[in-house]
Amino acid sequence: MFAEVKDLLLILISSALVSNVVLSQFLGLCPFLGVSRKVETAAGMGTAVIFVITLSSAVAGVIYRFVLLPLDITYLQTIVFILVIAALVQFVEMVLKKYMVSLYEALGVYLPLITTNCAVLGVALTNVQEDYGILAGTVNGFATALGFTISIIILAGIREKMAYNDIPKPFRGMPIVMVTAGLMAIAFCGFSGLL
């Protein structure tokens, strides 16, 4: 039992910090760059991504183990995972539209983009490639989404502070954001010594 908890903790730290989905694997850059203007919106997007990736990892793991593998139709995994992700994003969108209207409006077009966010599909496919069980895959999904949330909130905080700085004209807008994201990626490389 202790070895299993240790393995889950290693997956948690590795997926959240060492192999950060945005800063190490460069997946999910569209919402990372697009929704990181304000910390509040970034936190909302991060929460939605945590919910979607964690739940889709669990559901995709169950479907893969109990439907695709026994029927020997694993070649359909990408299509099935995309359908699961799309359904979960629609559910999140309906909940936000009904209960959190301001967050729903702030996220705008980026909320439906979670459906096509390659990070969400990447986690489901990684779980299959690494042969994670349902629990380990769910932990990997949660940790990956947590890493996404950490990085998008850090970038949003930096971007809010940069709004008050005198940035040279050629670097204004997206160029300085890209430089900042690159420096964050270099900083996150420091976590590789943890494991």
Side-chain angles (χ1 to χ4, degrees):
M1 169 145 177
F2 178 72
E4 185 177 316
V5 172
K6 180 183 168 191
D7 290 341
L8 293 177
L9 188 60
L10 285 173
I11 291 171
L12 185 74
I13 293 170
S14 174
S15 295
L17 299 175
V18 177
S19 299
N20 186 285
V21 71
V22 177
L23 301 174
S24 295
Q25 299 175 15
F26 307 110
L27 297 174
L29 289 176
C30 181
F32 176 69
L33 297 172
V35 186
S36 61
R37 290 194 175 127
K38 293 184 177 181
V39 172
E40 183 179 311
T41 336
M45 176 59 113
T47 305
V49 167
I50 286 174
F51 178 77
V52 169
I53 290 183
T54 304
L55 203 55
S56 69
S57 295
V59 173
V62 168
I63 291 172
Y64 184 79
R65 295 271 177 218
F66 298 113
V67 178
L68 299 179
L69 272 178
L71 295 176
D72 196 28
I73 53 172
T74 55
Y75 57 88
L76 293 175
Q77 70 187 11
T78 305
I79 295 169
V80 170
F81 293 165
I82 289 172
L83 291 173
V84 167
I85 292 164
L88 289 171
V89 170
Q90 287 301 312
F91 174 72
V92 169
E93 192 171 358
M94 288 186 309
V95 168
L96 288 180
K97 191 174 186 178
K98 185 168 185 168
Y99 297 110
M100 299 177 200
V101 178
S102 61
L103 180 58
Y104 174 78
E105 291 171 356
L107 291 176
V109 72
Y110 293 101
L111 187 59
L113 281 177
I114 295 176
T115 304
T116 58
N117 186 344
C118 53
V120 184
L121 180 60
V123 170
L125 294 175
T126 299
N127 290 342
V128 170
Q129 288 172 349
E130 296 292 329
D131 199 30
Y132 287 147
I134 296 168
L135 178 61
T138 305
V139 169
N140 181 49
F142 172 77
T144 301
L146 183 64
F148 175 86
T149 304
I150 289 169
S151 56
I152 196 172
I153 288 174
I154 290 172
L155 182 63
I158 293 171
R159 285 182 75 175
E160 281 185 357
K161 297 292 182 193
M162 282 192 310
Y164 301 108
N165 293 336
D166 186 27
I167 297 169
K169 192 172 183 178
F171 286 102
R172 289 186 189 151
M174 199 48 68
I176 193 68
V177 174
M178 296 299 283
V179 169
T180 304
L183 291 172
M184 285 176 59
I186 292 170
F188 267 67
C189 284
F191 289 121
S192 63
L194 284 175
L195 302 176

